[in-house]
Short mmCIF file of all heavy atoms in Angstrom, two decimals:
data_model
loop_
_atom_site.label_atom_id
_atom_site.label_comp_id
_atom_site.label_asym_id
_atom_site.label_seq_id
_atom_site.Cartn_x
_atom_site.Cartn_y
_atom_site.Cartn_z
N MET N 12 1.27 -4.55 3.12
CA MET N 12 0.13 -3.67 3.00
C MET N 12 0.29 -2.75 1.79
O MET N 12 -0.68 -2.48 1.11
CB MET N 12 -0.03 -2.86 4.28
CG MET N 12 -1.30 -2.08 4.33
SD MET N 12 -1.66 -1.28 5.89
CE MET N 12 -1.60 -2.63 7.04
N LEU N 13 1.50 -2.30 1.53
CA LEU N 13 1.75 -1.44 0.38
C LEU N 13 1.43 -2.17 -0.92
O LEU N 13 0.85 -1.59 -1.84
CB LEU N 13 3.20 -0.96 0.38
CG LEU N 13 3.58 0.12 -0.62
CD1 LEU N 13 2.75 1.38 -0.40
CD2 LEU N 13 5.05 0.44 -0.51
N LEU N 14 1.75 -3.44 -0.98
CA LEU N 14 1.45 -4.22 -2.19
C LEU N 14 -0.05 -4.36 -2.40
O LEU N 14 -0.54 -4.23 -3.52
CB LEU N 14 2.11 -5.60 -2.11
CG LEU N 14 1.94 -6.48 -3.34
CD1 LEU N 14 2.45 -5.79 -4.60
CD2 LEU N 14 2.66 -7.80 -3.14
N LEU N 15 -0.79 -4.59 -1.35
CA LEU N 15 -2.25 -4.68 -1.47
C LEU N 15 -2.83 -3.35 -1.93
O LEU N 15 -3.77 -3.31 -2.73
CB LEU N 15 -2.87 -5.12 -0.14
CG LEU N 15 -2.51 -6.53 0.33
CD1 LEU N 15 -3.09 -6.80 1.71
CD2 LEU N 15 -2.97 -7.58 -0.67
N THR N 16 -2.25 -2.27 -1.44
CA THR N 16 -2.67 -0.94 -1.89
C THR N 16 -2.36 -0.78 -3.37
O THR N 16 -3.19 -0.28 -4.13
CB THR N 16 -1.93 0.14 -1.07
OG1 THR N 16 -2.20 -0.06 0.32
CG2 THR N 16 -2.37 1.53 -1.47
N ALA N 17 -1.19 -1.22 -3.78
CA ALA N 17 -0.79 -1.13 -5.19
C ALA N 17 -1.72 -1.94 -6.08
O ALA N 17 -1.93 -1.59 -7.24
CB ALA N 17 0.65 -1.61 -5.36
N ARG N 18 -2.26 -2.99 -5.54
CA ARG N 18 -3.19 -3.83 -6.32
C ARG N 18 -4.58 -3.23 -6.40
O ARG N 18 -5.48 -3.79 -7.00
CB ARG N 18 -3.26 -5.22 -5.72
CG ARG N 18 -1.99 -6.01 -5.95
CD ARG N 18 -2.06 -7.40 -5.39
NE ARG N 18 -0.82 -8.10 -5.68
CZ ARG N 18 -0.43 -9.18 -5.04
NH1 ARG N 18 -1.19 -9.70 -4.08
NH2 ARG N 18 0.71 -9.75 -5.35
N GLY N 19 -4.76 -2.06 -5.77
CA GLY N 19 -6.02 -1.35 -5.89
C GLY N 19 -7.06 -1.68 -4.84
O GLY N 19 -8.21 -1.27 -4.96
N LEU N 20 -6.67 -2.41 -3.80
CA LEU N 20 -7.62 -2.74 -2.75
C LEU N 20 -7.91 -1.51 -1.90
O LEU N 20 -7.03 -0.69 -1.65
CB LEU N 20 -7.09 -3.86 -1.86
CG LEU N 20 -7.34 -5.28 -2.33
CD1 LEU N 20 -6.59 -5.59 -3.59
CD2 LEU N 20 -6.99 -6.26 -1.25
N SER N 21 -9.15 -1.41 -1.46
CA SER N 21 -9.53 -0.31 -0.57
C SER N 21 -9.03 -0.62 0.84
O SER N 21 -8.64 -1.76 1.14
CB SER N 21 -11.06 -0.18 -0.54
OG SER N 21 -11.63 -1.33 0.10
N ASN N 22 -9.07 0.38 1.69
CA ASN N 22 -8.68 0.16 3.09
C ASN N 22 -9.52 -0.94 3.72
O ASN N 22 -9.01 -1.78 4.46
CB ASN N 22 -8.80 1.46 3.90
CG ASN N 22 -7.76 2.48 3.52
OD1 ASN N 22 -6.82 2.19 2.79
ND2 ASN N 22 -7.94 3.69 4.00
N ARG N 23 -10.79 -0.94 3.42
CA ARG N 23 -11.70 -1.96 3.97
C ARG N 23 -11.31 -3.35 3.48
O ARG N 23 -11.29 -4.31 4.26
CB ARG N 23 -13.14 -1.64 3.57
CG ARG N 23 -14.14 -2.69 4.08
CD ARG N 23 -15.54 -2.27 3.83
NE ARG N 23 -15.82 -1.19 4.76
CZ ARG N 23 -16.86 -0.39 4.70
NH1 ARG N 23 -17.74 -0.53 3.73
NH2 ARG N 23 -17.04 0.56 5.58
N GLN N 24 -10.99 -3.48 2.20
CA GLN N 24 -10.59 -4.78 1.66
C GLN N 24 -9.27 -5.25 2.26
O GLN N 24 -9.11 -6.43 2.56
CB GLN N 24 -10.47 -4.69 0.14
CG GLN N 24 -11.80 -4.52 -0.57
CD GLN N 24 -11.64 -4.17 -2.03
OE1 GLN N 24 -10.79 -3.35 -2.39
NE2 GLN N 24 -12.45 -4.79 -2.88
N ILE N 25 -8.33 -4.33 2.43
CA ILE N 25 -7.05 -4.68 3.04
C ILE N 25 -7.27 -5.15 4.47
O ILE N 25 -6.73 -6.17 4.90
CB ILE N 25 -6.07 -3.48 3.00
CG1 ILE N 25 -5.69 -3.16 1.55
CG2 ILE N 25 -4.83 -3.77 3.83
CD1 ILE N 25 -4.95 -1.85 1.38
N ALA N 26 -8.08 -4.41 5.21
CA ALA N 26 -8.37 -4.77 6.60
C ALA N 26 -8.97 -6.17 6.68
O ALA N 26 -8.57 -6.98 7.52
CB ALA N 26 -9.32 -3.75 7.22
N SER N 27 -9.89 -6.46 5.79
CA SER N 27 -10.53 -7.77 5.78
C SER N 27 -9.53 -8.88 5.48
O SER N 27 -9.53 -9.93 6.13
CB SER N 27 -11.65 -7.78 4.73
OG SER N 27 -12.23 -9.05 4.64
N ARG N 28 -8.66 -8.64 4.51
CA ARG N 28 -7.65 -9.64 4.15
C ARG N 28 -6.64 -9.90 5.25
O ARG N 28 -6.16 -11.01 5.41
CB ARG N 28 -6.89 -9.18 2.92
CG ARG N 28 -7.34 -9.93 1.72
CD ARG N 28 -6.36 -9.86 0.62
NE ARG N 28 -7.17 -9.99 -0.58
CZ ARG N 28 -6.72 -10.10 -1.77
NH1 ARG N 28 -5.44 -10.04 -2.00
NH2 ARG N 28 -7.52 -10.23 -2.78
N LEU N 29 -6.29 -8.84 5.98
CA LEU N 29 -5.27 -8.96 7.02
C LEU N 29 -5.85 -9.19 8.41
O LEU N 29 -5.10 -9.29 9.38
CB LEU N 29 -4.38 -7.71 7.02
CG LEU N 29 -3.61 -7.43 5.73
CD1 LEU N 29 -2.81 -6.15 5.86
CD2 LEU N 29 -2.72 -8.61 5.37
N TYR N 30 -7.18 -9.23 8.50
CA TYR N 30 -7.87 -9.44 9.78
C TYR N 30 -7.49 -8.38 10.80
O TYR N 30 -7.16 -8.68 11.96
CB TYR N 30 -7.59 -10.85 10.33
CG TYR N 30 -7.98 -11.94 9.37
CD1 TYR N 30 -7.01 -12.59 8.60
CD2 TYR N 30 -9.31 -12.30 9.20
CE1 TYR N 30 -7.36 -13.58 7.70
CE2 TYR N 30 -9.68 -13.29 8.30
CZ TYR N 30 -8.69 -13.93 7.56
OH TYR N 30 -9.04 -14.90 6.66
N ILE N 31 -7.52 -7.12 10.35
CA ILE N 31 -7.27 -5.99 11.23
C ILE N 31 -8.35 -4.95 10.99
O ILE N 31 -9.10 -5.04 10.02
CB ILE N 31 -5.87 -5.37 11.01
CG1 ILE N 31 -5.70 -4.90 9.56
CG2 ILE N 31 -4.77 -6.36 11.39
CD1 ILE N 31 -4.37 -4.21 9.26
N ALA N 32 -8.42 -3.96 11.86
CA ALA N 32 -9.43 -2.91 11.73
C ALA N 32 -9.07 -1.97 10.58
O ALA N 32 -7.89 -1.74 10.29
CB ALA N 32 -9.55 -2.12 13.02
N GLU N 33 -10.08 -1.41 9.96
CA GLU N 33 -9.86 -0.46 8.87
C GLU N 33 -9.06 0.75 9.35
O GLU N 33 -8.19 1.26 8.64
CB GLU N 33 -11.20 -0.02 8.28
CG GLU N 33 -11.07 0.83 7.05
CD GLU N 33 -12.41 1.14 6.40
OE1 GLU N 33 -13.45 0.60 6.82
OE2 GLU N 33 -12.40 1.96 5.46
N GLY N 34 -9.31 1.18 10.57
CA GLY N 34 -8.56 2.30 11.14
C GLY N 34 -7.08 1.99 11.27
O GLY N 34 -6.23 2.87 11.10
N THR N 35 -6.76 0.73 11.55
CA THR N 35 -5.36 0.31 11.65
C THR N 35 -4.69 0.42 10.28
O THR N 35 -3.55 0.87 10.18
CB THR N 35 -5.27 -1.13 12.18
OG1 THR N 35 -5.91 -1.19 13.46
CG2 THR N 35 -3.84 -1.59 12.31
N VAL N 36 -5.41 0.03 9.25
CA VAL N 36 -4.88 0.16 7.88
C VAL N 36 -4.59 1.62 7.58
O VAL N 36 -3.51 1.96 7.09
CB VAL N 36 -5.86 -0.43 6.83
CG1 VAL N 36 -5.39 -0.13 5.41
CG2 VAL N 36 -6.05 -1.92 7.04
N LYS N 37 -5.54 2.49 7.91
CA LYS N 37 -5.36 3.91 7.65
C LYS N 37 -4.13 4.46 8.37
O LYS N 37 -3.34 5.21 7.78
CB LYS N 37 -6.60 4.70 8.08
CG LYS N 37 -7.80 4.46 7.20
CD LYS N 37 -9.01 5.21 7.71
CE LYS N 37 -10.24 4.92 6.89
NZ LYS N 37 -11.43 5.62 7.40
N ARG N 38 -3.97 4.08 9.63
CA ARG N 38 -2.81 4.55 10.41
C ARG N 38 -1.51 4.02 9.82
O ARG N 38 -0.53 4.77 9.68
CB ARG N 38 -2.93 4.13 11.87
CG ARG N 38 -3.86 5.04 12.67
CD ARG N 38 -3.78 4.77 14.15
NE ARG N 38 -4.05 3.39 14.52
CZ ARG N 38 -5.27 2.86 14.64
NH1 ARG N 38 -6.34 3.61 14.42
NH2 ARG N 38 -5.42 1.60 14.99
N HIS N 39 -1.47 2.75 9.47
CA HIS N 39 -0.25 2.17 8.91
C HIS N 39 0.11 2.84 7.58
O HIS N 39 1.28 3.15 7.34
CB HIS N 39 -0.40 0.66 8.69
CG HIS N 39 -0.23 -0.15 9.93
ND1 HIS N 39 0.89 -0.10 10.72
CD2 HIS N 39 -1.04 -1.06 10.52
CE1 HIS N 39 0.76 -0.93 11.74
NE2 HIS N 39 -0.41 -1.52 11.65
N LEU N 40 -0.89 3.05 6.74
CA LEU N 40 -0.61 3.71 5.47
C LEU N 40 -0.15 5.15 5.66
O LEU N 40 0.78 5.60 5.00
CB LEU N 40 -1.83 3.64 4.54
CG LEU N 40 -2.14 2.26 3.98
CD1 LEU N 40 -3.44 2.29 3.17
CD2 LEU N 40 -1.00 1.73 3.12
N ALA N 41 -0.79 5.86 6.59
CA ALA N 41 -0.36 7.24 6.86
C ALA N 41 1.09 7.27 7.34
O ALA N 41 1.88 8.11 6.89
CB ALA N 41 -1.28 7.88 7.91
N ASN N 42 1.45 6.33 8.21
CA ASN N 42 2.84 6.25 8.68
C ASN N 42 3.79 5.89 7.55
O ASN N 42 4.89 6.42 7.45
CB ASN N 42 2.96 5.24 9.82
CG ASN N 42 2.32 5.71 11.10
OD1 ASN N 42 2.18 6.89 11.34
ND2 ASN N 42 1.90 4.76 11.93
N THR N 43 3.35 4.97 6.69
CA THR N 43 4.17 4.56 5.56
C THR N 43 4.39 5.72 4.61
O THR N 43 5.52 5.97 4.17
CB THR N 43 3.49 3.39 4.81
OG1 THR N 43 3.37 2.28 5.70
CG2 THR N 43 4.31 2.96 3.59
N TYR N 44 3.33 6.47 4.30
CA TYR N 44 3.46 7.61 3.39
C TYR N 44 4.40 8.65 3.97
O TYR N 44 5.20 9.24 3.24
CB TYR N 44 2.10 8.25 3.11
CG TYR N 44 1.09 7.34 2.43
CD1 TYR N 44 -0.26 7.65 2.45
CD2 TYR N 44 1.47 6.18 1.77
CE1 TYR N 44 -1.19 6.84 1.84
CE2 TYR N 44 0.54 5.36 1.16
CZ TYR N 44 -0.80 5.70 1.19
OH TYR N 44 -1.72 4.90 0.59
N LYS N 45 4.31 8.87 5.28
CA LYS N 45 5.20 9.84 5.93
C LYS N 45 6.66 9.40 5.78
O LYS N 45 7.53 10.20 5.43
CB LYS N 45 4.82 9.98 7.40
CG LYS N 45 5.59 11.05 8.11
CD LYS N 45 5.10 11.23 9.54
CE LYS N 45 5.89 12.31 10.26
NZ LYS N 45 5.40 12.51 11.61
N ARG N 46 6.94 8.14 6.05
CA ARG N 46 8.30 7.62 5.94
C ARG N 46 8.81 7.67 4.50
O ARG N 46 10.00 7.87 4.26
CB ARG N 46 8.37 6.19 6.46
CG ARG N 46 8.27 6.12 7.96
CD ARG N 46 8.51 4.71 8.46
NE ARG N 46 8.25 4.65 9.87
CZ ARG N 46 7.38 3.86 10.44
NH1 ARG N 46 6.68 3.01 9.70
NH2 ARG N 46 7.20 3.87 11.74
N MET N 47 7.90 7.45 3.56
CA MET N 47 8.27 7.49 2.15
C MET N 47 8.37 8.92 1.62
O MET N 47 8.81 9.14 0.50
CB MET N 47 7.22 6.73 1.31
CG MET N 47 7.19 5.24 1.54
SD MET N 47 5.84 4.45 0.61
CE MET N 47 6.43 4.60 -1.07
N GLU N 48 7.90 9.87 2.42
CA GLU N 48 7.87 11.28 2.04
C GLU N 48 6.97 11.51 0.83
O GLU N 48 7.33 12.21 -0.12
CB GLU N 48 9.27 11.83 1.81
CG GLU N 48 10.14 11.74 3.06
CD GLU N 48 11.56 12.23 2.85
OE1 GLU N 48 12.00 12.39 1.69
OE2 GLU N 48 12.23 12.44 3.88
N VAL N 49 5.78 10.92 0.89
CA VAL N 49 4.76 11.10 -0.14
C VAL N 49 3.45 11.49 0.53
O VAL N 49 3.29 11.33 1.74
CB VAL N 49 4.57 9.83 -1.01
CG1 VAL N 49 5.85 9.47 -1.74
CG2 VAL N 49 4.08 8.66 -0.19
N GLY N 50 2.52 11.97 -0.27
CA GLY N 50 1.27 12.43 0.31
C GLY N 50 0.03 11.67 -0.11
O GLY N 50 -1.07 11.99 0.33
N SER N 51 0.19 10.67 -0.97
CA SER N 51 -1.00 9.96 -1.45
C SER N 51 -0.64 8.55 -1.91
O SER N 51 0.52 8.20 -2.05
CB SER N 51 -1.61 10.71 -2.64
OG SER N 51 -0.74 10.65 -3.76
N ARG N 52 -1.69 7.76 -2.15
CA ARG N 52 -1.50 6.39 -2.67
C ARG N 52 -0.77 6.41 -3.99
O ARG N 52 0.14 5.63 -4.21
CB ARG N 52 -2.86 5.71 -2.88
CG ARG N 52 -3.49 5.18 -1.64
CD ARG N 52 -4.82 4.51 -1.97
NE ARG N 52 -5.48 4.17 -0.73
CZ ARG N 52 -5.74 2.93 -0.35
NH1 ARG N 52 -5.44 1.93 -1.13
NH2 ARG N 52 -6.30 2.69 0.80
N SER N 53 -1.19 7.30 -4.87
CA SER N 53 -0.57 7.31 -6.20
C SER N 53 0.90 7.69 -6.12
O SER N 53 1.73 7.09 -6.81
CB SER N 53 -1.32 8.24 -7.15
OG SER N 53 -1.33 9.56 -6.66
N GLU N 54 1.24 8.65 -5.27
CA GLU N 54 2.65 9.01 -5.10
C GLU N 54 3.43 7.85 -4.49
O GLU N 54 4.57 7.59 -4.88
CB GLU N 54 2.79 10.23 -4.19
CG GLU N 54 2.36 11.53 -4.82
CD GLU N 54 2.49 12.69 -3.85
OE1 GLU N 54 3.42 12.68 -3.01
OE2 GLU N 54 1.66 13.60 -3.93
N ALA N 55 2.82 7.15 -3.55
CA ALA N 55 3.48 6.01 -2.91
C ALA N 55 3.74 4.91 -3.93
O ALA N 55 4.82 4.31 -3.95
CB ALA N 55 2.64 5.48 -1.76
N MET N 56 2.77 4.64 -4.80
CA MET N 56 2.94 3.60 -5.81
C MET N 56 4.02 3.99 -6.80
O MET N 56 4.85 3.17 -7.19
CB MET N 56 1.62 3.32 -6.54
CG MET N 56 0.51 2.76 -5.67
SD MET N 56 1.00 1.37 -4.65
CE MET N 56 1.29 2.16 -3.08
N ARG N 57 4.01 5.26 -7.20
CA ARG N 57 5.02 5.74 -8.14
C ARG N 57 6.42 5.57 -7.54
O ARG N 57 7.33 5.05 -8.19
CB ARG N 57 4.76 7.20 -8.49
CG ARG N 57 5.64 7.73 -9.60
CD ARG N 57 5.33 9.17 -10.00
NE ARG N 57 3.91 9.47 -10.09
CZ ARG N 57 3.26 10.32 -9.26
NH1 ARG N 57 3.92 10.95 -8.32
NH2 ARG N 57 1.98 10.54 -9.41
N LYS N 58 6.58 5.97 -6.28
CA LYS N 58 7.89 5.87 -5.64
C LYS N 58 8.29 4.40 -5.45
O LYS N 58 9.45 4.04 -5.66
CB LYS N 58 7.88 6.59 -4.30
CG LYS N 58 9.25 6.58 -3.64
CD LYS N 58 9.35 7.54 -2.49
CE LYS N 58 10.77 7.56 -1.97
NZ LYS N 58 10.97 8.65 -1.02
N ALA N 59 7.35 3.56 -5.05
CA ALA N 59 7.65 2.14 -4.84
C ALA N 59 8.11 1.49 -6.15
O ALA N 59 9.03 0.67 -6.15
CB ALA N 59 6.44 1.42 -4.28
N LEU N 60 7.50 1.89 -7.26
CA LEU N 60 7.92 1.37 -8.56
C LEU N 60 9.28 1.92 -8.96
O LEU N 60 10.14 1.17 -9.43
CB LEU N 60 6.87 1.71 -9.63
CG LEU N 60 5.59 0.89 -9.58
CD1 LEU N 60 4.51 1.54 -10.43
CD2 LEU N 60 5.84 -0.53 -10.02
N GLN N 61 9.48 3.21 -8.78
CA GLN N 61 10.77 3.83 -9.13
C GLN N 61 11.92 3.24 -8.33
O GLN N 61 13.01 3.02 -8.86
CB GLN N 61 10.72 5.34 -8.91
CG GLN N 61 9.90 6.07 -9.93
CD GLN N 61 9.74 7.55 -9.60
OE1 GLN N 61 9.88 7.98 -8.46
NE2 GLN N 61 9.41 8.33 -10.62
N GLU N 62 11.68 2.97 -7.04
CA GLU N 62 12.71 2.43 -6.17
C GLU N 62 12.85 0.91 -6.30
O GLU N 62 13.67 0.28 -5.65
CB GLU N 62 12.42 2.79 -4.71
CG GLU N 62 12.42 4.28 -4.41
CD GLU N 62 13.78 4.92 -4.53
OE1 GLU N 62 14.79 4.22 -4.27
OE2 GLU N 62 13.85 6.11 -4.88
N GLU N 63 11.96 0.33 -7.13
CA GLU N 63 11.92 -1.11 -7.38
C GLU N 63 11.62 -1.92 -6.12
O GLU N 63 12.10 -3.04 -5.94
CB GLU N 63 13.20 -1.58 -8.06
CG GLU N 63 13.39 -0.94 -9.42
CD GLU N 63 14.64 -1.40 -10.16
OE1 GLU N 63 15.45 -2.16 -9.59
OE2 GLU N 63 14.79 -1.00 -11.32
N TRP N 64 10.80 -1.33 -5.23
CA TRP N 64 10.33 -2.07 -4.06
C TRP N 64 9.25 -3.06 -4.49
O TRP N 64 9.07 -4.10 -3.87
CB TRP N 64 9.77 -1.13 -3.00
CG TRP N 64 10.80 -0.16 -2.46
CD1 TRP N 64 12.15 -0.34 -2.39
CD2 TRP N 64 10.55 1.12 -1.91
NE1 TRP N 64 12.75 0.76 -1.83
CE2 TRP N 64 11.79 1.67 -1.53
CE3 TRP N 64 9.39 1.88 -1.72
CZ2 TRP N 64 11.90 2.93 -0.95
CZ3 TRP N 64 9.50 3.13 -1.14
CH2 TRP N 64 10.75 3.64 -0.76
N ILE N 65 8.51 -2.66 -5.53
CA ILE N 65 7.51 -3.52 -6.15
C ILE N 65 7.66 -3.40 -7.66
O ILE N 65 8.27 -2.45 -8.15
CB ILE N 65 6.06 -3.16 -5.73
CG1 ILE N 65 5.71 -1.73 -6.15
CG2 ILE N 65 5.84 -3.39 -4.25
CD1 ILE N 65 4.25 -1.37 -5.90
N THR N 66 7.11 -4.38 -8.38
CA THR N 66 7.15 -4.35 -9.84
C THR N 66 5.72 -4.35 -10.37
O THR N 66 4.77 -4.65 -9.63
CB THR N 66 7.88 -5.58 -10.41
OG1 THR N 66 7.11 -6.75 -10.08
CG2 THR N 66 9.29 -5.70 -9.85
N ILE N 67 5.59 -4.06 -11.64
CA ILE N 67 4.27 -4.13 -12.28
C ILE N 67 3.71 -5.54 -12.13
O ILE N 67 2.53 -5.74 -11.87
CB ILE N 67 4.36 -3.74 -13.78
CG1 ILE N 67 4.75 -2.27 -13.93
CG2 ILE N 67 3.06 -4.04 -14.51
CD1 ILE N 67 3.72 -1.28 -13.47
N SER N 68 4.56 -6.53 -12.26
CA SER N 68 4.14 -7.92 -12.10
C SER N 68 3.59 -8.17 -10.70
O SER N 68 2.57 -8.85 -10.54
CB SER N 68 5.33 -8.85 -12.38
OG SER N 68 4.95 -10.19 -12.16
N ASP N 69 4.25 -7.63 -9.68
CA ASP N 69 3.76 -7.77 -8.31
C ASP N 69 2.36 -7.19 -8.16
O ASP N 69 1.52 -7.72 -7.45
CB ASP N 69 4.67 -7.03 -7.31
CG ASP N 69 6.04 -7.64 -7.16
OD1 ASP N 69 6.19 -8.85 -7.36
OD2 ASP N 69 6.97 -6.86 -6.83
N MET N 70 2.14 -6.08 -8.83
CA MET N 70 0.86 -5.39 -8.70
C MET N 70 -0.29 -6.19 -9.28
O MET N 70 -1.41 -6.11 -8.79
CB MET N 70 0.93 -4.01 -9.38
CG MET N 70 1.86 -3.07 -8.64
SD MET N 70 2.15 -1.53 -9.52
CE MET N 70 0.53 -0.78 -9.48
N SER N 71 -0.02 -6.98 -10.31
CA SER N 71 -1.09 -7.74 -10.94
C SER N 71 -1.17 -9.19 -10.46
O SER N 71 -2.16 -9.85 -10.68
CB SER N 71 -0.94 -7.71 -12.47
OG SER N 71 0.29 -8.31 -12.84
N ASP N 72 -0.15 -9.66 -9.79
CA ASP N 72 -0.09 -11.05 -9.32
C ASP N 72 -0.86 -11.19 -8.02
O ASP N 72 -0.53 -10.58 -7.03
CB ASP N 72 1.37 -11.47 -9.11
CG ASP N 72 1.52 -12.93 -8.71
OD1 ASP N 72 0.56 -13.70 -8.95
OD2 ASP N 72 2.57 -13.29 -8.18
N GLU N 73 -1.90 -12.01 -8.06
CA GLU N 73 -2.72 -12.21 -6.86
C GLU N 73 -2.08 -13.20 -5.89
O GLU N 73 -2.53 -13.37 -4.78
CB GLU N 73 -4.12 -12.69 -7.22
CG GLU N 73 -4.97 -11.59 -7.81
CD GLU N 73 -5.28 -10.49 -6.81
OE1 GLU N 73 -5.54 -10.78 -5.63
OE2 GLU N 73 -5.26 -9.32 -7.21
N GLY N 74 -1.01 -13.87 -6.31
CA GLY N 74 -0.23 -14.78 -5.48
C GLY N 74 -1.06 -15.51 -4.53
O GLY N 74 -0.96 -16.04 -3.57
#
């Protein structure tokens, strides 16, 4: 889910791709941000890149 967020998908688009409710996406992302100790999508992406959990290539690769 973090990778889809990094690719710029909205919560609605992520929910559609994963066949889950948009509210579920919101809850999962909120929990993820809390665990990552960040407060926003942009902070989460910055940290994920810094920690090398994802790469720039991952962000642009539609796989």
